[in-house]
Amino acid sequence: MPPLLRSLIKLCVFCYLYSMASYSYSSSLVSISSSLISISSSLVSISSSVNNVSGAVINVGSYHCPPFVMSIQDNGRPQPTSTGLSILLWERIAESIDLQYEMQDYTLQGLLDAVDNGSIEVGISCITITPERELRMDFSHSFYETHLAIAVKQKGYLAAFINIITNTTLLLVVGIILICAGLIGWIFYLLEHKVNHKLYSMPSTGAQLLEAFILGLLFITKGPFNYFEFKTLSGRVLTVFLAIASTLFIASITAMLASTFTLGLLNTDIKSPYDLIKLNVGTKVSTTSSIYLESLGIIHQTFTSLDDMLSALNDGEIDAIVDDDAVLKYKLKLAKQQGRYQQISVLPYQFEKQNYGLAIKDNSPYTEQLNRALLNIRQSSEWQQALNQYFAEKY
């Protein structure tokens, strides 16, 4: 091949390879540039989303439930501004994440429906977190823990006295005392009656046995005798053991009787929620209390407000009411300060734990921010002071 032709071929090959390399490099630059543009667009979108959340105006709903939301005055008229624990919590959350909002009052069922259908973004009140509600909406972290409680009206003195003397616990305690007194008295009689004429001074055997029973009864109710009152070694050793046993026995009996007398003045028919089956019970409509009673098969009346329910209990229209412990005790405390419902008391039973949270529209973009702000506020001194203000007896 001539040298000139060989050189011409090499030149053509070089030009071809150079052009291919240049095209590949240019394509890579275009691809990289496109990727950067895509990433930049994503960042702008994220930034825009964050800005929209922090500066948005959202619809919020509340439900009158003292002391968590207080939006209605005693005369039934709306308050100019709602107050309460849940309102305080929400105001601090909104400030923390720079969230603007408009608030509207609802009934409880109306509030849950509004969150469910997306009419409002957040529901604020004493809303219990339940699995059934979780299927319809999201919830924030819990901000208050409580439980259900039973309230009854105290009975009259005659009815209370009859309840006490016929109480099975009291009769059982009296029976145990009499049996133990007789047994202790009999043992000491066998050990001491022949040598201890001071304790057994009566001439007849029957009278001495009665003295022995009185001795045992004193042991049970008063405590141990003086060690030196007994003549035999066995009697003195037994006295030492009974001194310890009778102290524990008296303490246990005292606690049991105190509880019996207290409940006897309230309502001895109710010893657990299951005893409500045979009573006329009231609760608020569409609440976890109503759902709980339905789960137990307890037929009950429903009321639209706690005031109506307390009034019905006070007038004898129902025998007991079931509601959230915190709400019930707070309402009764205020009412008694005003001289109302003086004979209504909350029974000392705790059942069906409740956790309150903010109801949030499903798939809301605010959920994470609300939860972070809520957890921070729960640890603040302002929140603890608010709890002390409303529930000083519990904290």
Side-chain angles (χ1 to χ4, degrees):
M1 180 181 293
L4 181 60
L5 181 59
R6 186 183 295 111
S7 298
L8 184 60
I9 292 174
K10 288 182 177 179
L11 178 62
C12 291
V13 171
F14 173 77
C15 290
Y16 173 76
L17 293 176
Y18 178 78
S19 64
M20 291 297 293
S22 298
Y23 176 77
S24 176
Y25 177 72
S26 176
S27 298
S28 299
L29 288 177
V30 171
S31 177
I32 293 172
S33 176
S34 299
S35 299
L36 290 175
I37 291 172
S38 177
I39 293 172
S40 176
S41 298
S42 298
L43 291 174
V44 170
S45 177
I46 293 171
S47 175
S48 175
S49 176
V50 171
N51 290 333
N52 288 338
V53 169
S54 62
V57 178
I58 65 171
N59 293 321
V60 174
S62 66
Y63 156 64
H64 180 70
C65 180
F68 296 92
V69 173
M70 293 177 284
S71 57
I72 302 175
Q73 303 178 23
D74 292 337
N75 58 13
R77 296 180 179 179
Q79 291 186 179
T81 304
S82 296
T83 58
L85 273 173
S86 296
I87 297 295
L88 172 65
L89 176 67
W90 173 250
E91 289 176 347
R92 296 299 175 265
I93 289 175
E95 292 173 5
S96 175
I97 62 177
D98 189 23
L99 193 62
Q100 305 300 316
Y101 61 92
E102 294 180 356
M103 187 175 295
Q104 183 177 353
D105 292 331
Y106 291 84
T107 63
L108 176 58
Q109 189 59 51
L111 180 64
L112 296 175
D113 291 340
V115 176
D116 183 26
N117 62 34
S119 301
I120 59 176
E121 196 77 30
V122 181
I124 303 167
S125 189
C126 53
I127 305 174
T128 303
I129 303 171
T130 66
E132 295 79 12
R133 291 173 179 172
E134 279 279 7
L135 296 175
R136 303 172 55 194
M137 63 198 72
D138 287 335
F139 280 93
S140 69
H141 293 310
S142 170
F143 65 83
Y144 190 83
E145 294 78 34
T146 183
H147 54 84
L148 294 184
I150 302 170
V152 297
K153 184 178 180 181
Q154 295 179 12
K155 297 182 177 181
Y157 292 109
L158 178 60
F161 176 74
I162 294 174
N163 278 335
I164 289 175
I165 62 175
T166 58
N167 185 277
T168 55
T169 302
L170 178 61
L171 296 176
L172 178 62
V173 169
V174 172
I176 292 174
I177 290 175
L178 295 178
I179 292 173
C180 290
L183 180 62
I184 292 172
W186 174 253
I187 294 174
F188 274 109
Y189 176 78
L190 294 178
L191 297 175
E192 296 278 333
H193 80 281
K194 293 182 179 180
V195 296
N196 196 333
H197 300 293
K198 182 179 179 181
L199 290 180
Y200 305 98
S201 58
M202 295 293 102
S204 65
T205 301
Q208 289 182 0
L209 289 175
L210 180 59
E211 287 180 314
F213 176 77
I214 294 173
L215 173 67
L217 195 60
L218 291 175
F219 249 109
I220 293 296
T221 58
K222 185 180 178 181
F225 271 51
N226 190 324
Y227 177 84
F228 297 102
E229 291 288 337
F230 301 96
K231 303 297 184 181
T232 64
L233 179 61
S234 300
R236 292 182 175 183
V237 171
L238 182 59
T239 302
V240 174
F241 284 105
L242 288 178
I244 300 173
S246 63
T247 301
L248 298 176
F249 183 80
I250 292 171
S252 301
I253 293 299
T254 301
M256 188 180 299
L257 289 178
S259 175
T260 299
F261 291 149
T262 300
L263 294 178
L265 293 174
L266 296 176
N267 195 325
T268 54
D269 295 330
I270 304 176
K271 299 178 178 63
S272 74
Y274 297 95
D275 293 323
L276 297 173
I277 294 176
K278 54 190 176 183
L279 301 176
N280 189 8
V281 185
T283 190
K284 287 187 293 185
V285 64
S286 302
T287 60
T288 52
S289 304
S290 179
I291 295 173
Y292 176 75
L293 293 177
E294 288 176 359
S295 69
L296 296 182
I298 298 175
I299 299 174
H300 56 280
Q301 297 184 38
T302 55
F303 296 81
T304 56
S305 70
L306 181 55
D307 280 313
D308 293 341
M309 197 158 52
L310 288 171
S311 178
L313 178 62
N314 192 62
D315 295 340
E317 298 174 9
I318 53 178
D319 302 315
I321 60 177
V322 178
D323 204 352
D324 291 1
D325 180 74
V327 176
L328 191 54
K329 286 183 177 178
Y330 178 79
K331 188 66 177 181
L332 277 176
K333 181 178 73 172
L334 293 184
K336 289 184 177 182
Q337 290 174 356
Q338 300 169 358
R340 299 184 297 148
Y341 308 140
Q342 297 296 323
Q343 292 183 307
I344 295 179
S345 300
V346 180
L347 295 178
Y349 304 128
Q350 296 186 7
F351 59 97
E352 198 64 13
K353 182 179 177 181
Q354 308 284 305
N355 287 278
Y356 293 159
L358 303 177
I360 307 173
K361 185 178 69 173
D362 207 14
N363 299 319
S364 171
Y366 306 97
T367 304
E368 288 301 321
Q369 292 188 74
L370 293 179
N371 277 325
R372 286 195 295 268
L374 186 151
L375 292 177
N376 288 331
I377 293 167
R378 280 199 61 171
Q379 297 175 359
S380 68
S381 59
E382 182 183 21
W383 180 252
Q384 294 303 318
Q385 290 170 4
L387 291 176
N388 290 333
Q389 175 185 351
Y390 293 108
F391 307 111
E393 72 278 7
K394 294 183 68 177
Y395 292 89

